[in-house]
């Protein structure tokens, strides 16, 4: 068994309880941190990987430096949450980085979101005028109608008009998820923030210094996101224990209560178990579909069937290139809706912390694999070749590739199919009926969220648990679920 921190010194008694946390991503780690900040509760965290952080890890690439699993900015409009995360590290351990993004369309790099004037050079005056007219009609229609859009496509068409939607938003949706006419409106409302016409004009004229729909700058921990997870592990070790390389393989359920956690050591292969006391809690951040394996017959057959019907997860494939130049991009990241280029987003670790990639730069190209886009079946060499060709087609040149690697994150990207939400609510309500069990986070509640959103859920769960154990029951779990059901992503 591999423990990340010192052995737990907690005890069990009235007013003191233990929480078993399944999964060591941002939500699970924030839960552990919140418990130790605000109570004398103890915890045991089980993580199947060899390090903490989940999809927000920092990886050491031998001989090439360090990089995250894709671009992860530290930003939120929730100032209390932002301050709490910043206080994990000392002020000198934080960088403030400008956030500049662009979108590659028709051979042009346009600022994202594209200004009205920048679209003229791509589409010409006649097509642009038609887009503006169509946009205006959409804005008028949105004021006059009370009909709520139900799909990604209907929502974006209503916000920006059909012509602009077809040119900008539909291509990227097809690359990332699936047919946007079959995607739920929650996906567009959470993932695609569009400015008002007034803000667009002000941004074009450089009159705006802030934005209500995107981050203009962000914070980043020196050395990578792993510094945050290391800080939480260090600060919570007096009340908790981190068991790495431990994969949960079964949950024994009796009388609607979790009684035993069975887990397998991925190094030795041995299977061990933890008895769960009556006053203890089990909080899972594991994928919802994983629960069908862990709980087995304790779940109603209809619950399992419904999960399998609505939960669709695409595969994210990250192609990393170490190049001999100190920097390749002018932007933090570039969106690439062009269907002829294999990746949908391009980023560079140098934009987050230049000191992480000595002797050059590390480029990250994100490729999505889905049911209709069979990229996951491609071998690494094919993917690398396609990525290099895509960079060449975009006009990037004057650099040499020193090293290359592919990291696959299967079933990691949630896809909201139209009408999924009422079914998901029913599933979560059924799972919440287990007396000492809750499932939370990006994977644990099928919630398409960012790093700080996941941490917010973890902190909120800690606060709720503490209220339950101290008799403050006026705040229901349903209220907490509702609070964390929608997070707009500010790109």
């Amino acid at each position: 068994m591999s423990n990340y921190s010192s052995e737990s010194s907690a005890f069990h008694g009235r007013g003191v309880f233990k929480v078993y946390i399944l999964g060591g991503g941002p939500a699970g780690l924030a839960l552990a941190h919140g418990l130790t900040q605000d109570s004398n509760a103890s915890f045991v965290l089980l993580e199947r990987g060899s390090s903490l952080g989940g999809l927000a890890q920092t990886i050491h690439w031998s001989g090439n430096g360090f990089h995250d699993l894709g671009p992860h900015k530290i930003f939120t409009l929730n100032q209390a949450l932002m301050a709490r995360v910043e206080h994990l590290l000392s002020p000198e351990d934080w960088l403030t980085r400008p956030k500049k993004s662009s979108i590659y369309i028709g051979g042009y790099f346009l600022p994202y979101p594209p200004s009205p004037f920048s679209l003229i050079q791509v589409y010409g005056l006649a097509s642009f005028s038609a887009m503006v007219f169509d946009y205006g009609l959409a804005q008028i229609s949105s004021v006059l109608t009370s009909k709520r859009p139900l799909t990604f496509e209907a929502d974006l068409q209503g916000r920006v008009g059909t012509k602009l939607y077809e040119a900008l938003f539909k291509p990227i949706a097809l690359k990332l998820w699936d047919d946007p006419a079959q995607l739920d409106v929650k996906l567009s409302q959470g993932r695609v923030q569009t400015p008002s016409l007034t803000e667009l004009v002000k941004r074009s004229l450089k009159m705006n210094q802030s934005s209500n729909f995107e981050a203009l700058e962000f914070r980043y921990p020196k050395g990578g996101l792993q510094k945050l997870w290391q800080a939480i592990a260090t600060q919570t070790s007096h009340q908790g224990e981190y068991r790495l390389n431990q994969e949960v393989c079964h949950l024994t359920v009796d009388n609607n209560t979790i009684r035993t956690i069975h887990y397998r050591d991925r190094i030795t292969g041995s299977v061990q178990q933890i008895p769960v006391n009556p006053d203890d809690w089990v909080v899972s951040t594991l994928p919802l579909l994983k629960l069908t394996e862990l709980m087995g017959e304790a779940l109603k057959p209809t619950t399992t069937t419904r999960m399998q019907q609505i939960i669709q997860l695409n595969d994210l494939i990250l192609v990393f290139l170490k190049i001999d130049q100190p920097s390749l991009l002018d932007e933090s990241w570039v969106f690439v809706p062009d269907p002829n280029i294999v990746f949908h987003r391009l980023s560079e670790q140098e934009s987050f912390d230049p000191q992480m990639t000595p002797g050059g730069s590390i480029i990250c190209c994100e490729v999505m694999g889905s049911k209709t886009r069979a990229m996951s079946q491609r071998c690494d060499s094919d993917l690398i070749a396609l990525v290099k060709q895509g960079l060449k087609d975009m006009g990037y040149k004057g650099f040499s590739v020193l090293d290359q690697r592919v990291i696959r994150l299967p079933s990691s990207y949630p896809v909201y199919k139209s009408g999924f939400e009422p079914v998901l609510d029913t599933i979560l309500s059924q799972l919440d009926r287990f007396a000492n069990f809750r499932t939370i986070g990006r994977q644990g509640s099928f919630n398409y969220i960012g790093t700080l959103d996941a941490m917010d859920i973890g902190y909120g769960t800690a606060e709720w648990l503490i209220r339950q154990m101290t008799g403050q029951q006026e705040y229901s779990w349903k209220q907490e679920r509702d609070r964390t059901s929608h997070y707009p992503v500010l790109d």
Side-chain angles (χ1 to χ4, degrees):
M1 182 182 303
S2 174
N3 291 345
Y4 194 93
S5 64
S6 62
E7 187 174 337
S8 172
S9 59
F11 56 92
H12 195 77
R14 182 174 176 82
V16 181
F17 60 103
K18 180 173 285 189
V19 180
Y20 295 97
I21 304 170
L22 313 184
L29 290 166
L31 169 57
H33 188 230
L35 288 171
T36 59
Q37 278 194 312
D38 301 323
S39 78
N40 57 355
S42 65
F43 69 88
V44 173
L45 186 149
L46 300 174
E47 165 57 43
R48 76 182 298 275
S50 58
S51 58
L52 299 172
L55 296 177
Q57 288 186 44
T58 303
I59 306 297
H60 179 222
W61 189 1
S62 181
N64 295 307
F66 294 83
H67 65 79
D68 294 334
L69 291 177
H72 290 266
K73 65 182 182 299
I74 301 298
F75 177 84
T76 176
L77 294 176
N78 183 336
Q79 294 304 307
L81 174 62
M82 192 71 188
R84 191 170 195 171
V85 173
E86 287 182 328
H87 285 153
L88 287 169
L89 304 174
S90 60
E92 59 269 19
D93 287 328
W94 284 101
L95 298 168
T96 300
R97 304 294 289 167
K99 202 284 296 182
K100 180 183 177 184
S101 57
S102 68
I103 185 167
Y104 179 78
I105 308 174
Y108 292 90
F109 289 87
L110 307 183
Y112 184 83
S115 69
F117 305 112
S118 66
L119 290 173
I120 296 176
Q121 63 181 319
V122 179
Y123 298 106
L125 183 59
S127 294
F128 169 73
S129 299
M131 287 180 181
V132 171
F133 181 74
D134 195 42
Y135 177 87
L137 289 178
Q139 292 294 301
I140 294 171
S141 178
S142 66
V143 173
L144 298 177
T145 184
S146 59
K147 186 177 180 181
R148 180 181 178 273
L150 299 178
T151 67
F152 182 104
E153 182 164 276
D155 179 41
L156 266 298
Q157 286 177 332
R159 281 197 258 166
V160 303
T162 300
K163 294 185 182 298
L164 193 55
Y165 162 74
E166 294 280 347
L168 291 182
F169 298 105
K170 184 174 183 177
I172 197 72
L174 287 169
K175 287 180 79 172
L176 274 172
W177 301 297
D178 212 330
D179 179 3
Q182 305 299 319
L183 300 175
D184 196 86
V185 64
K186 185 174 181 178
L187 189 58
S188 56
Q189 292 180 346
R191 302 300 301 188
V192 183
Q193 309 306 312
T194 53
S196 66
L197 183 59
T198 301
E199 185 166 357
L200 268 176
V201 172
K202 287 184 177 180
R203 290 290 302 276
S204 300
L205 299 175
K206 301 187 183 302
M207 295 170 59
N208 256 21
Q209 298 301 315
S210 62
S211 174
N212 294 321
F213 73 96
E214 66 163 338
L216 300 182
E217 63 179 23
F218 59 89
R219 300 280 272 164
Y220 189 78
K222 289 181 181 178
L225 293 174
Q226 213 66 26
K227 293 298 180 68
L228 294 177
W229 319 139
Q230 291 167 355
I232 288 178
T234 299
Q235 293 173 26
T236 59
S237 62
H238 64 292
Q239 285 178 228
E241 181 182 357
Y242 295 86
R243 301 183 185 180
L244 302 181
N245 297 302
Q246 309 301 311
E247 182 174 16
V248 179
C249 51
H250 182 62
L251 298 174
T252 300
V253 183
D254 179 50
N255 195 26
N256 241 23
T257 304
I258 308 297
R259 300 296 187 184
T260 312
I261 302 169
H262 304 259
Y263 63 98
R264 180 178 64 87
D265 189 308
R266 298 181 68 229
I267 296 176
T268 65
S270 64
V271 176
Q272 303 177 52
Q273 61 184 44
I274 301 173
V276 180
N277 292 321
D279 293 334
D280 296 339
W281 283 86
V282 178
V283 179
S284 173
T285 68
L286 304 178
L288 272 181
L289 288 176
K290 180 71 175 175
L291 292 180
T292 64
E293 302 175 27
L294 300 182
M295 292 186 168
E297 294 181 356
L299 290 180
K300 296 179 181 179
T302 54
T303 302
T304 299
T305 301
R306 285 176 171 177
M307 280 193 202
Q308 294 167 342
Q309 288 173 341
I310 68 160
I311 293 179
Q312 180 178 327
L313 297 163
N314 286 350
D315 302 330
L316 181 60
I317 307 165
L318 304 175
V319 180
F320 293 94
L321 304 178
K322 178 63 181 286
I323 64 171
D324 62 348
Q325 300 299 313
S327 179
L328 182 68
L329 310 181
D330 294 327
E331 306 90 344
S332 307
W333 49 82
V334 181
F335 298 105
V336 188
D338 188 330
N340 296 315
I341 295 176
V342 69
F343 47 85
H344 61 266
R345 185 166 60 172
L346 179 65
S347 61
E348 185 170 25
Q349 194 64 47
E350 182 271 343
S351 297
F352 296 79
D353 182 357
Q355 301 304 312
M356 292 173 65
T357 60
S361 185
I362 295 178
I363 310 299
C364 176
C365 303
E366 299 174 65
V367 180
M368 193 64 68
S370 66
K371 292 181 179 179
T372 57
R373 201 163 180 264
M375 289 297 156
S376 300
Q377 283 68 52
R378 297 266 192 166
C379 66
D380 288 0
S381 58
D382 283 352
L383 290 167
I384 290 168
L386 288 169
V387 160
K388 289 179 178 178
Q389 184 61 50
L391 291 172
K392 182 179 179 181
D393 292 344
M394 292 174 69
Y396 292 107
K397 55 186 178 181
F399 67 91
S400 296
V401 175
L402 303 177
D403 205 349
Q404 52 209 14
R405 73 186 309 188
V406 176
I407 296 179
R408 298 172 185 263
L409 304 173
S411 301
S412 59
Y413 233 71
V415 178
Y416 291 163
K417 294 188 283 189
S418 182
F420 85 101
E421 200 162 17
V423 181
L424 177 64
D425 289 344
T426 300
I427 291 169
L428 293 177
S429 294
Q430 291 174 357
L431 290 170
D432 290 342
R433 289 173 185 163
F434 290 98
N436 63 341
F437 176 81
R438 294 294 182 267
T439 177
I440 65 169
R442 178 181 172 112
Q443 296 276 38
S445 56
F446 196 52
N447 203 346
Y448 196 168
I449 53 177
T451 302
L452 261 66
D453 303 328
M455 294 184 73
D456 182 56
I457 290 173
Y459 284 127
T461 302
E463 183 178 346
W464 184 84
L465 285 171
I466 293 167
R467 286 181 174 183
Q468 298 306 297
M469 299 308 295
T470 55
Q472 304 174 55
Q473 298 180 0
E474 75 283 356
Y475 184 68
S476 71
W477 179 250
K478 185 180 185 307
Q479 288 176 288
E480 178 61 17
R481 276 255 189 250
D482 292 344
R483 182 188 75 82
T484 61
S485 66
H486 180 77
Y487 290 96
V489 176
L490 304 180
D491 280 331

